Amino acid sequence: MVTLYGPAPGQPEAQRCGEVGRVAVLSDVNANVPALRAVLEEAGSDGAELFVFTGNLTWGAEPEQTAELVKALGDRAVCLRGNTDRALVDLATATRAPRGPREAWMLNQHSIDTVRLLAGFAFGAVVGVPGLGDVRLCHGSPRSDTELVTPRTPESRFAALAHGMDERTLVTGHTQLQFDRELTGCRSVGPGSIGMPHHIGTPGTAHWAMLGPGVELRRTRYDVSEAARRGVRAGDPSAEIIAWMLHNALTPAEATAEAERLVFSG
């Protein structure tokens, strides 16, 4: 039986935001600071009024630096909970013990203030966007931060995961895939990943989306070699593996097939 990780007890399904003309959606940053800086600069220059981070923000080489960049946005940032954000809070509160050396290392890289930041993330958000209407955003799906939504998710499963959702556009992260898909009665958008996207092409490309008045799937270049070096300097136990993955991403077809095989992961 699959465990669904929805909103925390007492937490609403979604944080409600007013209408915003231009919304930058950044998912799965994974504490990749060079990629995040490049996207923030480009999105800001292109008129982003709100930055929505759809989960898995700090689980990577430089969590404190990542948190500082997000906090500098002030009330222009809305942060949503991903499965790794939830995992870090569970580790920090001793809800569960670290599974392996990297989880123990990751816990030690987060200050108390950053843990509190993660613990305050909403499960989802609804933002009004001219041209799109109300848009629902979350990490995995509206029913679990571990559900994998892809451009090949069967309409029957999509209808089940979106059951009770009034909004006609759903933006989800977690799969690290970038796509824009029309289904019966709904639009499914994946912004892709800032920190480690699945893609075809040159390494060192961060994927994100700009909403308003339509949906723009965006790609921003950054120094991938610097990102790999930062992982080594930080002492990340998985630095070599992550450096290899940054330079050898899964293709969208490979990642989609694996996600649809698993359905839930994390």
Side-chain angles (χ1 to χ4, degrees), residues 68-193:
E68 288 304 315
L69 288 170
V70 173
K71 287 189 286 188
L73 295 170
D75 58 9
R76 293 186 297 152
V78 172
C79 295
L80 308 180
R81 188 196 84 203
N83 58 297
T84 63
D85 308 311
R86 172 173 51 79
L88 197 286
V89 174
D90 284 349
L91 291 170
T93 57
T95 301
R96 69 172 177 84
R99 299 166 186 162
R102 190 170 193 245
E103 286 201 351
W105 180 86
M106 194 67 67
L107 175 59
N108 289 331
Q109 305 313 300
H110 285 73
S111 67
I112 293 173
D113 285 345
T114 300
V115 172
R116 287 175 180 155
L117 176 72
L118 300 182
F121 287 0
F123 176 75
V126 174
V127 183
V129 181
L132 295 173
D134 284 348
V135 176
R136 182 171 291 263
L137 305 100
C138 57
H139 182 65
S141 79
R143 63 183 178 181
S144 180
D145 63 29
T146 58
E147 188 159 11
L148 298 157
V149 180
T150 81
R152 295 291 179 266
T153 295
E155 289 214 25
S156 58
R157 177 160 74 88
F158 191 90
L161 66 87
H163 178 71
M165 191 182 88
D166 295 326
E167 301 75 31
R168 295 298 86 200
T169 301
L170 174 64
V171 181
T172 57
H174 194 39
T175 62
Q176 306 184 153
L177 289 163
Q178 191 176 66
F179 59 90
D180 182 7
R181 178 191 186 196
E182 294 283 348
L183 295 98
T184 303
C186 198
R187 187 174 189 173
S188 175
V189 177
S193 167

Side-chain angles (χ1 to χ4, degrees), residues 185-263:
C186 198
R187 187 174 189 173
S188 175
V189 177
S193 167
I194 299 295
M196 196 176 292
H198 300 312
H199 68 108
I200 297 172
T202 307
T205 306
H207 291 198
W208 56 289
M210 185 79 87
L211 309 182
V215 175
E216 301 172 34
L217 299 180
R218 306 288 291 270
R219 299 184 179 188
T220 301
R221 299 286 300 141
Y222 74 95
D223 188 343
V224 67
S225 296
E226 174 61 16
R229 286 192 294 269
R230 283 170 175 255
V232 173
R233 288 200 300 265
D236 186 343
S238 297
E240 290 187 10
I241 295 172
I242 291 171
W244 187 90
M245 292 172 69
L246 286 170
H247 287 89
N248 300 274
L250 287 178
T251 68
E254 291 169 335
T256 296
E258 179 66 3
E260 288 300 326
R261 182 186 71 81
L262 293 172
V263 180

